[in-house]
Amino acid sequence: MNWLKDWKEKRKLKTFLKKSPEEEYEIYKKRLLRGESEESARAGLKHLRNK
């Protein structure tokens, strides 16, 4: 069943992987304003992963 969980996670993140850096930064700001931690807000955003 682990492969199913991995597949669902990849499928869910696929929409974020197509985003431009500017769009990802907007998503990041919205998540921070909702009260998420910085690490949680960066989850799934490839352009903000290393910052």
Side-chain angles (χ1 to χ4, degrees):
M1 291 302 281
N2 196 21
W3 66 270
L4 182 60
K5 184 179 178 185
D6 291 342
W7 177 77
K8 286 182 180 180
E9 189 70 22
K10 285 180 185 177
R11 187 171 160 221
K12 188 167 74 171
L13 292 176
K14 209 178 242 188
T15 57
F16 290 113
L17 295 177
K18 295 178 184 177
K19 304 274 185 201
S20 71
E22 293 82 16
E23 292 172 326
E24 285 189 358
Y25 186 68
E26 289 177 23
I27 293 169
Y28 176 71
K29 286 193 310 186
K30 286 179 188 176
R31 288 178 178 179
L32 285 178
L33 290 175
R34 280 190 292 185
E36 294 186 25
S37 68
E38 280 196 44
E39 186 176 330
S40 175
R42 275 193 212 122
L45 303 175
K46 67 179 181 177
H47 296 289
L48 298 173
R49 198 171 281 159
N50 296 329
K51 291 183 181 178

